[in-house]
Amino acid sequence: MKYDFAAIEPKWQKRWEDGKVFAAADHSDKPKFYGLIEFPYPSGQGLHVGHPRPYTAMDIVTRKKRMDGYNVLFPMGFDAFGLPTENYAIKNHVHPAVVTKDNIAHFTSQLKMLGFGFDWDRVVDTTDPKYYKWTQWIFLQLFKKGLAYKATMPVNWCTSCKCVLANEEVVEGVCERCGAPVIRKEKSQWMLKITEYAQRLIDDLDGLDFIERVKTQQKNWIGRSTGAEVVFKATTGDDITVFTTRPDTLFGATYMVLSPEHELVKKWLPALKNADEVQAYQRAAASKSDLERTELNKEKTGVCLDGVKGVNPVTGREIPIFISDYVLSTYGTGAIMAVPAHDDRDWEFAKKFGCEIIEVVSGGEDVQKAAFTAKDETGILVNSDFLNGLTVKDAIPAITNWLEEKGIGAAKVNYKLRDWVFSRQRYWGEPIPMVWCGKCGWQPLPEDQLPLLLPEVESYEPTDDGESPLSKMTGWVSTVCPCCGGPAKRETDTMPQWAGSSWYFLRYMDPHNDNALASKEMLDYWSPVDWYNGGMEHTTLHLLYSRFWHKFLYDIGVVPTEEPYRKRTSHGMILGEGGEKMSKSRGNVVNPDDVVNAYGADTLRLYIMFIGDFEKAATWSDNAVKGCKRFLDRVWNLSEGCNDSLAHTPANEASIHKTIKKVSDDIEAMKFNTAIAAMMALVNDFYANGCSKGDLRTLLLLLNPFAPHMCEELWEAMGFAAAEGKMACQSAWPAYDESKTAASAVDMAVQVQGKLKGTIHVPVDSEEAVVVDAAKAVDKVAKALEGMEIAKVIHVKNKLVNLIVKPAK
RNA sequence: GCGGGUAUGAUGGAAUUGGUAGACAUGCGAGAUUUAGGUUCUCGUGCUUCACCGCGUUGGGGUUCGAGUCCCCAUACCCGCACCA
């Protein structure tokens, strides 16, 4: 009989689904295992071959875990709010909810076709009101704890999407999604205080089993730096607080720089002699896009404020104050003390504007020629009164203490991480459940009014003035104040796409609960996620956001663990033939449907796992797919050629035990490519040595997580299903016997002077004398030994023997 | 600029603690089966003057009996961050 994947695969998919084989049990004596992959955005294009890479990997892991005897939760869902759906709806005049429904149906059928062992009873859809009710609920809790607030601030504004973006969504000055320039715009926005969690988000990484680059990337993004805040007086009497990581260089501060947006500049403006020039600079800075700001960062610009000076608090000297866009309004205090002798940027600015450069740390080259920035023990303080003679390391705490005693400064930690801009001026998102009352201010919607449903609108187009399409729905916008009952208005912005994905893994634990986001019992049982695989591109977005929300939920007693995910791994991208990113415009997108039709889902799964190192990018190759099909054909054909014995064929015994060990270890380490290679090698052995029913049985168990349809079919055909049930249901991952993984005899390398001369076949663990005798019998060795005597023997058991020789006397 | 990573046949990629480099697969070559194509099976396949010798893991040095693996220098490519004081 031929391997008819087109008949086999739908047959088993139906049986698995009808039998609810992959349903997770809410109560079980087995240990639990929660495996998670990032749920997809259901785009109109459907799945492409990049999607199944992480899904197949986690499917393999969870199928093996089931066979190891775990109660497994392996769920799937859809992150369905988002711009592409909304844009499609605008263009084609369909409701986004309709588009979403169709796309989800399409994705679902594609996923089922690939045979993933998802628990389909637990599917979540972030656009389902029963789901986003709880997304809104979490927002209300954040608001009640003071972690959600509305603020007017310069935000990233995408000129094409007509929408604000989070810092994390701006890549190289352009919109991550559409590539249009991003500019700064003053807008009133809902913000989430993720900065309040900055330190915990760093500290708690230590206890987690995350791949190292995820940890470093998150730490760098949060960007902790320690230093001090120092208060300078201005000649106007105002205080100017600056942040510095080098308070030790205070004596060398010869000027100050404020960001163009700094409040004091506004206050001083009428009194400045060059007010026009200052205003012109402010306008220029405001109109620059982020891209322009970064591109122009080679050349420093700025304007000196004419009419006000700062006073260095330790030297008492009056120093000039500049505004410049190299000082960011959103970091620290938006103002710096400039120490050109010991900071590259200040040095560059000072050279251009002719500011004084005073050395206060000796040990470097001439500070008139370059800044000396070393922060280690090489520098000794000079020109610094009571700090003179101290190292930089000692001077920092000394001056910080001094400042604290005088009340003009204090130690301070700053983070690069900014609060999360949480409003979007778009339709297709969760409505923010807040009400504005002229008398009472912002009021949270009472929880019993959740979910606050998205109203029907006539147009989903964003407005040019930057307001959400919801703002036009006057009937919906007008409401009553939950506090005083007077007339009030609803918030018309919606939440960003990251909202729904920040807690979806919790919903899987108890997806149909109407009284809570999930019951305490289920949260206690399933938390935390044991293994979460996802893309590196989410490291500073989804992964960070969801850790933040989870910590908040922990703090208010909703979830039982401080961290949501115990282990995090990451997969590489699948590139098109030619090594380029798959994209519609390049025309190199591979559709999984086509591969399934031509070769079957098992072949596709196997190939995607065999393609290369799971963590690295891999290039698609149509040819290489055929090799995996060939392998499955060979396994299939074994079933017709094997003998009836249930015992292992003696010649295969060692290979079988070695392969069990290899496949078991490799799945845990996500080295799927070598696990498959080992099984291929085993099949080659079976062809060479003959194969018994028992040999094939073990192979099927090992191969089942990778190619489950074919394995189920053979399992049944060979009569194992009658006694043991479906492969997917039984927990009998094969065990191996370490002592049997070694053959009774081994090939050892023979070297003379470290050069390979040949190999010998000797019993395992042979003594040195035996090995040397056997080595001497090798022709090439005998030749090399002519006229020589052995000076030294290096013997590595079962590996090699190396004879060191010298001329015989 | 700073931080992290990678470099192995024609190709994708393997190589516990330093111990037979190139597993496994693709491609290619030869043969068998087949009316033929495809499939399947067998054998071969790092380079080299193809027997010997020699040379081989980006390049150059070093440590070692022995280096893809460890150390130093250089080159190329990739990723992250990028005026964060």
Side-chain angles (χ1 to χ4, degrees):
Chain A
M1 209 173 62
K2 207 171 159 279
Y3 166 41
D4 183 5
F5 59 83
I8 293 169
E9 291 177 353
K11 167 182 158 186
W12 285 101
Q13 284 157 17
K14 183 161 190 314
R15 287 199 190 175
W16 292 332
E17 193 168 353
D18 292 349
K20 294 198 185 295
V21 163
F22 302 114
D26 283 333
H27 305 278
S28 172
D29 296 335
K30 297 174 177 178
K32 68 100 184 175
F33 180 85
Y34 184 176
L36 183 67
I37 38 88
E38 288 168 345
F39 61 164
Y41 172 72
S43 71
Q45 288 90 51
L47 289 180
H48 69 86
V49 287
H51 284 106
R53 197 180 199 194
Y55 304 167
T56 309
M58 195 53 75
D59 193 43
I60 290 168
V61 169
T62 52
R63 279 176 184 268
K64 174 173 181 287
K65 286 284 176 191
R66 279 192 204 95
M67 294 172 81
D68 280 336
Y70 284 83
N71 177 32
V72 167
L73 173 55
F74 183 40
M76 182 41 116
F78 299 96
D79 191 14
F81 277 127
L83 266 185
T85 302
E86 185 168 337
N87 290 338
Y88 181 90
I90 290 169
K91 211 170 154 189
N92 299 286
H93 307 286
V94 217
H95 195 285
V98 174
V99 181
T100 298
K101 196 167 163 267
D102 291 349
N103 289 350
I104 287 179
H106 184 212
F107 263 68
T108 301
S109 75
Q110 284 189 302
L111 291 167
K112 287 188 175 172
M113 193 178 71
L114 290 167
F116 297 125
F118 294 128
D119 183 344
W120 289 106
D121 291 336
R122 293 176 186 254
V123 171
V124 306
D125 164 5
T126 55
T127 66
D128 181 347
K130 286 184 177 158
Y131 179 89
Y132 72 66
K133 170 181 178 180
W134 298 106
T135 312
Q136 292 172 331
W137 182 84
I138 295 170
F139 180 89
L140 290 181
Q141 309 314 308
L142 285 161
F143 177 79
K144 287 172 188 169
K145 295 288 174 185
L147 292 167
Y149 62 97
K150 198 146 196 190
T152 300
M153 57 169 334
V155 293
N156 305 299
W157 176 261
C158 173
T159 48
S160 163
C161 300
K162 294 171 184 167
C163 182
V164 303
L165 301 176
N167 284 319
E168 290 82 350
E169 292 171 305
V170 182
V171 178
E172 285 169 11
V174 302
C175 172
E176 179 197 49
R177 216 184 307 270
C178 71
V182 172
I183 59 165
R184 299 246 149 216
K185 197 165 176 168
E186 290 265 328
K187 269 197 83 65
S188 175
Q189 303 289 321
W190 284 102
M191 307 286 293
L192 298 187
K193 260 190 209 166
I194 190 172
T195 50
E196 193 132 303
Y197 284 76
Q199 192 59 51
R200 285 166 69 189
L201 288 168
I202 294 175
D203 292 344
D204 293 348
L205 283 172
D206 286 341
L208 299 174
D209 183 12
F210 284 14
I211 50 171
E212 219 37 53
R213 41 193 187 125
V214 168
K215 288 191 185 183
T216 37
Q217 220 167 294
Q218 287 208 343
K219 276 182 201 161
N220 290 343
W221 184 262
I222 296 167
R224 177 193 156 99
S225 56
T226 57
E229 279 191 349
V230 185
V231 182
F232 283 58
K233 279 279 176 210
T235 48
T236 55
D238 295 296
D239 283 347
I240 313 170
T241 307
V242 302
F243 173 70
T244 176
T245 56
R246 294 293 302 276
D248 56 303
T249 61
L250 185 52
F251 286 85
T254 52
Y255 63 94
M256 304 184 77
V257 188
L258 309 188
S259 68
E261 300 86 358
H262 201 281
E263 281 176 25
L264 283 174
V265 183
K266 284 173 205 150
K267 183 177 173 191
W268 293 335
L269 201 58
L272 295 177
K273 289 174 198 153
N274 60 344
D276 290 348
E277 196 189 348
V278 170
Q279 275 186 305
Y281 187 85
Q282 285 177 317
R283 275 196 300 271
S287 69
K288 275 187 200 171
S289 70
D290 274 21
L291 188 62
E292 286 168 317
R293 280 203 182 193
T294 42
E295 265 183 353
L296 295 172
N297 73 10
K298 289 157 209 144
E299 184 79 356
K300 297 266 181 295
T301 59
V303 176
C304 186
L305 303 184
D306 191 354
V308 55
K309 296 241 177 200
V311 179
N312 184 317
V314 282
T315 62
R317 290 178 55 186
E318 288 194 1
I319 55 177
I321 302 172
F322 291 84
I323 60 168
S324 171
D325 63 6
Y326 87 91
V327 173
L328 307 175
S329 61
T330 45
Y331 183 76
T333 60
I336 63 159
M337 66 177 207
V339 186
H342 304 291
D343 182 280
D344 289 324
R345 294 151 306 183
D346 296 345
W347 188 90
E348 200 190 315
F349 188 89
K351 278 289 170 189
K352 183 165 172 188
F353 289 88
C355 304
E356 200 179 354
I357 302 174
I358 300 175
E359 180 181 62
V360 290
V361 181
S362 67
E365 303 292 311
D366 181 0
V367 295
Q368 302 303 325
K369 298 209 173 102
F372 175 55
T373 57
K375 219 179 160 179
D376 52 26
E377 289 81 26
T378 53
I380 301 295
L381 275 281
V382 293
N383 298 325
S384 297
D385 195 355
F386 59 91
L387 296 175
N388 285 342
L390 293 177
T391 63
V392 170
K393 206 173 133 224
D394 294 336
I396 290 174
I399 182 74
T400 307
N401 287 339
W402 187 88
L403 288 167
E404 279 176 8
E405 279 165 25
K406 299 274 174 190
I408 53 169
K412 169 85 182 169
V413 174
N414 260 324
Y415 302 90
K416 286 187 209 173
L417 186 71
R418 312 290 153 82
D419 276 342
W420 176 5
V421 180
F422 200 69
S423 311
R424 297 293 182 275
Q425 294 69 44
R426 301 295 301 215
Y427 174 75
W428 196 226
E430 300 89 344
I432 294 174
M434 297 295 296
V435 173
W436 171 257
C437 170
K439 266 188 253 164
C440 313
W442 281 109
Q443 292 298 320
L445 205 64
E447 286 175 22
D448 60 16
Q449 290 182 32
L450 297 183
L452 172 59
L453 297 174
L454 261 177
E456 298 286 329
V457 297
E458 280 149 32
S459 162
Y460 312 110
E461 295 264 11
T463 59
D464 285 327
D465 59 5
E467 292 303 316
S468 156
L470 294 183
S471 62
K472 290 180 230 155
M473 303 305 298
T474 44
W476 182 82
V477 173
S478 301
T479 184
V480 291
C481 173
C483 184
C484 70
K489 288 185 171 204
R490 293 188 194 280
E491 170 62 58
T492 58
D493 284 354
T494 54
M495 298 188 197
Q497 193 178 7
W498 311 108
S501 60
S502 291
W503 70 281
Y504 74 111
F505 52 93
L506 298 173
R507 189 63 176 173
Y508 286 141
M509 298 176 190
D510 191 10
H512 309 295
N513 195 322
D514 285 330
N515 303 314
L517 56 82
S519 73
K520 188 169 178 341
E521 188 195 0
M522 287 300 106
L523 288 164
D524 284 345
Y525 177 68
W526 287 113
S527 293
V529 173
D530 292 287
W531 190 340
Y532 189 18
N533 185 83
M536 279 307 288
E537 70 274 20
H538 290 131
T539 302
T540 53
L541 292 157
H542 159 66
L543 198 65
L544 200 60
Y545 293 152
S546 60
R547 289 184 61 221
F548 159 49
W549 274 34
H550 198 267
K551 284 184 177 304
F552 168 71
L553 292 172
Y554 174 80
D555 289 348
I556 62 170
V558 173
V559 297
T561 60
E562 271 204 67
E563 284 286 336
Y565 321 116
R566 179 176 286 152
K567 174 172 178 168
R568 169 80 179 187
T569 54
S570 228
H571 56 273
M573 237 190 322
I574 303 247
L575 305 170
E577 297 222 45
E580 287 190 306
K581 208 170 165 175
M582 280 190 195
S583 70
K584 256 203 294 192
S585 56
R586 287 199 185 87
N588 60 352
V589 177
V590 178
N591 185 333
D593 299 20
D594 298 337
V595 184
V596 170
N597 288 333
Y599 301 102
D602 282 339
T603 295
L604 175 60
R605 293 167 58 109
L606 204 63
Y607 173 62
I608 285 181
M609 293 297 102
F610 187 58
I611 193 167
D613 188 330
F614 182 68
E615 287 193 13
K616 292 191 191 131
T619 305
W620 182 267
S621 157
D622 279 329
N623 262 331
V625 180
K626 291 178 195 155
C628 291
K629 173 65 166 49
R630 228 168 262 167
F631 168 65
L632 291 181
D633 281 333
R634 276 162 70 78
V635 175
W636 182 266
N637 292 336
L638 274 177
S639 67
E640 280 158 13
C642 68
N643 65 53
D644 271 344
S645 168
L646 276 172
H648 286 158
T649 306
N652 293 331
E653 187 76 18
S655 297
I656 289 172
H657 283 271
K658 253 196 290 195
T659 308
I660 296 171
K661 178 175 162 58
K662 179 80 181 149
V663 174
S664 307
D665 293 349
D666 281 357
I667 289 176
E668 293 296 327
M670 297 205 123
K671 290 163 79 174
F672 305 106
N673 53 338
T674 49
I676 294 166
M679 288 187 279
M680 287 174 168
L682 185 65
V683 168
N684 291 344
D685 283 348
F686 287 178
Y687 270 87
N689 301 331
C691 170
S692 71
K693 208 172 161 181
D695 292 338
L696 186 54
R697 181 179 186 278
T698 304
L699 174 67
L700 289 180
L701 289 167
L702 295 179
L703 186 58
N704 176 55
F706 297 80
H709 308 89
M710 190 189 82
C711 289
E712 289 274 19
E713 181 72 17
L714 287 179
W715 185 257
E716 185 180 60
M718 292 174 72
F720 297 125
E724 303 176 61
K726 291 188 194 75
M727 286 200 104
C729 312
Q730 54 81 54
S731 32
W733 186 255
Y736 61 90
D737 184 340
E738 186 77 51
S739 68
K740 287 185 182 160
T741 58
S744 58
V746 288
D747 286 319
M748 287 179 64
V750 180
Q751 299 177 334
V752 176
Q753 309 291 68
K755 293 279 184 193
L756 185 70
K757 293 295 173 189
T759 58
I760 51 173
H761 194 69
V762 292
V764 164
D765 295 339
S766 294
E767 292 304 319
E768 184 172 305
V770 178
V771 172
V772 172
D773 281 348
K776 283 178 180 167
V778 175
D779 279 354
K780 278 195 194 175
V781 176
K783 220 166 124 191
L785 290 182
E786 271 171 32
M788 302 295 229
E789 62 178 301
I790 296 173
K792 192 178 171 189
V793 175
I794 289 152
H795 177 224
V796 183
K797 241 182 196 177
N798 301 328
K799 291 272 183 186
L800 64 65
V801 59
N802 186 8
L803 306 176
I804 310 305
V805 298
K806 62 179 183 186
K809 282 166 201 144

